[in-house]
């Protein structure tokens, strides 16, 4: 029976899309890693809680097949903020995150330069008090 579960999870992993813009944050990649760690012995893996395993599979399969999107259709393709799906993708992409991190580093360096009149090498070391 665990061989069937293993094959079902493998098929789900094949169908689950990968988002290359989300390096290290992609749900598809995370799912593949979790399946690999849960089924270390492949089809011979013994499942501790088969019911929980089946329930997890069914939940992931519903998400993968867009069951909830079809069941609860949206009136508009935007959120309460008015941001469209494509704008959300751009905001959540790794390139946007990377550019924001670079800006933060630049700001931090600027602040450090402004508040330190001398570099750490120029400041004499204080003797330790006992």
């Amino acid at each position: 029976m665990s061989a069937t579960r293993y094959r079902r999870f493998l098929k789900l992993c094949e169908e689950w899309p990968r988002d290359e813009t989300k390096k290290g944050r992609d749900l598809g990649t995370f799912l593949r890693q979790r399946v690999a760690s849960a089924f270390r012995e492949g089809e011979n893996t013994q499942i501790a809680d088969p019911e929980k395993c089946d329930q997890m599979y069914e939940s992931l399969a519903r998400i993968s097949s867009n069951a909830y999107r079809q069941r609860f259709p949206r009136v508009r393709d935007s959120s309460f903020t008015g941001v469209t799906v494509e704008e959300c993708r751009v905001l959540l992409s790794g390139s946007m995150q990377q550019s924001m991190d670079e800006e933060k580093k630049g700001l931090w360096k600027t602040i450090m330069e402004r508040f330190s009149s001398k570099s750490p090498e120029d400041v004499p070391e204080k003797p330790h008090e006992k």
Side-chain angles (χ1 to χ4, degrees):
M1 191 64 161
S2 63
T4 306
R5 285 186 182 92
Y6 176 65
R7 283 189 227 112
R8 286 174 43 188
F9 270 102
L10 282 182
K11 188 171 192 264
L12 181 68
C13 287
E14 289 174 7
E15 294 171 357
W16 202 286
R18 283 189 187 174
D19 189 349
E20 296 300 324
T21 63
K22 296 180 182 176
K23 297 280 185 192
R25 302 179 296 127
D26 180 41
L27 185 58
T29 303
F30 177 76
L31 178 63
R32 287 168 179 78
Q33 291 170 349
R34 288 292 304 253
V35 168
S37 67
F39 291 95
R40 286 191 188 115
E41 298 173 23
E43 294 182 353
N44 299 326
T45 304
Q46 295 298 317
I47 306 297
D49 191 354
E51 289 179 15
K52 185 176 179 181
C53 181
D54 291 341
Q55 184 181 26
M56 193 176 303
Y57 171 79
E58 293 299 327
S59 296
L60 289 169
R62 282 192 300 271
I63 294 170
S64 176
S65 67
N66 284 327
Y68 296 108
R69 183 176 186 171
Q70 294 166 0
R71 196 166 162 191
F72 305 105
R74 298 178 62 115
V75 179
R76 295 183 196 102
D77 281 337
S78 65
S79 65
F80 72 95
T81 62
V83 178
T84 65
V85 174
E86 191 55 40
E87 290 170 332
C88 282
R89 279 198 182 104
V90 170
L91 290 172
L92 295 174
S93 72
S95 61
M96 180 63 84
Q97 185 69 30
Q98 185 178 16
S99 66
M100 289 177 67
D101 289 344
E102 288 173 3
E103 286 180 25
K104 288 179 186 175
K105 287 179 187 176
L107 178 62
W108 178 251
K109 285 183 179 180
T110 305
I111 290 171
M112 289 303 292
E113 289 171 1
R114 283 188 184 171
F115 287 110
S116 64
S117 59
K118 297 179 181 178
S119 66
E121 295 85 26
D122 296 338
V123 178
E125 198 172 308
K126 292 183 181 179
H128 295 288
E129 295 179 18
K130 290 184 179 179

